[in-house]
């Protein structure tokens, strides 16, 4: 309603209410001058020592949902029946994908009227995201000022599907369903980095 913009006050569509990122670097205790296998020499020492394990774990809540509806000569939001659209999130994953929120809580407003749903839903958010990236590095000194780093890197190491937002367009046959993912499946890469 362009004549009553204070009703548009709400959370941002990109709001993330909670986010946790944990990263670590661990030089593994193997090889010469380390706790384990410290007595190794030659090829065994070259293979056992210099390893480093790294990781980044991310966890965040989902984005708020923005509802829409096609109304003849009116606004672009549906009406709410007043009940919560939230569903039990302990349901099996397939049920959640087929119906992320309670679609029966919304009705199409009459022509030439405005829907009463706010800019974003107050009680339902899109899917959360959990991701773990890990890498294993092998550091090797070649000359006094030249070091080589062999890198084995995996992104989304557990191949966790990252579901995108559900369809929020009332009138669509897929209303309330999740039919897309975001991000990549597990990806691995091998690299060589020279540090001098």
């Amino acid at each position: 309603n362009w004549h009553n913009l204070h009703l548009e006050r709400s959370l941002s569509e990109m709001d993330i209410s909670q986010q946790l990122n944990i990263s670590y670097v661990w030089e593994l205790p193997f090889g010469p001058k380390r706790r384990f296998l410290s007595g190794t020499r030659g090829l065994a020492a070259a293979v056992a020592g210099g390893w480093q394990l790294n990781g980044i774990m991310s966890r965040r809540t989902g984005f708020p949902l923005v509802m829409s509806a096609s109304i003849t000569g009116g606004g672009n939001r549906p009406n709410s029946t007043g009940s919560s659209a939230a569903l039990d999130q302990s349901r099996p994953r397939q049920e959640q994908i087929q119906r992320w929120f309670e679609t029966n809580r919304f009705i199409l407003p009459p022509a030439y009227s405005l829907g009463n749903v706010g800019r974003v839903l107050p009680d339902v958010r899109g899917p959360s995201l959990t991701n773990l990236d890990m890498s294993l590095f092998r550091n090797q000194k070649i000359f006094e000022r030249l070091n080589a780093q062999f890198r084995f890197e995996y992104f989304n190491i557990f191949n966790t599907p990252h579901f995108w937002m559900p369809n929020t367009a009332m009138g669509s046959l897929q209303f309330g369903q999740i039919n897309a993912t975001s991000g990549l499946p597990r990806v691995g890469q091998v690299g060589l980095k020279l540090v001098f």
Side-chain angles (χ1 to χ4, degrees), residues 2-16:
W2 290 102
H3 303 289
N4 197 357
L5 290 179
H6 79 274
L7 293 178
E8 293 296 294
R9 288 180 60 91
S10 74
L11 291 173
S12 164
E13 297 167 13
M14 301 302 291
D15 177 70
I16 297 174

Side-chain angles (χ1 to χ4, degrees), residues 32-82:
K33 300 180 183 177
R34 302 285 183 190
R35 183 173 180 183
F36 301 106
L37 305 174
S38 60
T40 57
R41 299 284 179 262
L43 181 61
V47 171
W51 291 98
Q52 174 183 320
L53 185 65
N54 314 287
I56 300 174
M57 191 276 290
S58 302
R59 173 91 171 120
R60 69 161 171 78
T61 55
F63 297 113
L65 297 185
V66 179
M67 307 302 290
S68 66
S70 295
I71 306 166
T72 303
N76 60 355
R77 296 186 192 145
N79 275 338
S80 170
T81 61

Side-chain angles (χ1 to χ4, degrees), residues 14 23 32 54-55 78 94 100 104 113-114 117 134 137 155-157:
M14 301 302 291
S23 62
N54 314 287
Q94 190 58 37
W100 187 256
N104 297 329
S113 67
L114 301 170
V117 170
M134 292 184 72
F137 293 177
F155 305 97
N156 190 8
I157 192 166

Side-chain angles (χ1 to χ4, degrees), residues 45-151:
V47 171
W51 291 98
Q52 174 183 320
L53 185 65
N54 314 287
I56 300 174
M57 191 276 290
S58 302
R59 173 91 171 120
R60 69 161 171 78
T61 55
F63 297 113
L65 297 185
V66 179
M67 307 302 290
S68 66
S70 295
I71 306 166
T72 303
N76 60 355
R77 296 186 192 145
N79 275 338
S80 170
T81 61
S83 304
S84 172
L87 289 174
D88 181 13
Q89 293 300 311
S90 65
R91 297 173 298 143
R93 177 179 285 175
Q94 190 58 37
E95 286 184 22
Q96 293 180 37
I97 292 170
Q98 289 300 314
R99 195 172 68 154
W100 187 256
F101 56 87
E102 183 55 77
T103 56
N104 297 329
R105 300 293 189 253
F106 303 97
I107 56 175
L108 196 62
Y112 303 100
S113 67
L114 301 170
N116 65 8
V117 170
R119 195 159 63 99
V120 298
L121 291 184
D123 56 351
V124 184
R125 286 181 174 258
S128 61
L129 180 135
T130 301
N131 188 64
L132 179 61
D133 300 331
M134 292 184 72
S135 60
L136 184 65
F137 293 177
R138 170 70 170 86
N139 298 303
Q140 177 66 49
K141 188 169 190 173
I142 299 175
F143 300 114
E144 183 177 341
R145 293 189 172 185
L146 179 62
N147 294 305
Q149 187 179 74
F150 299 94
R151 305 164 69 105

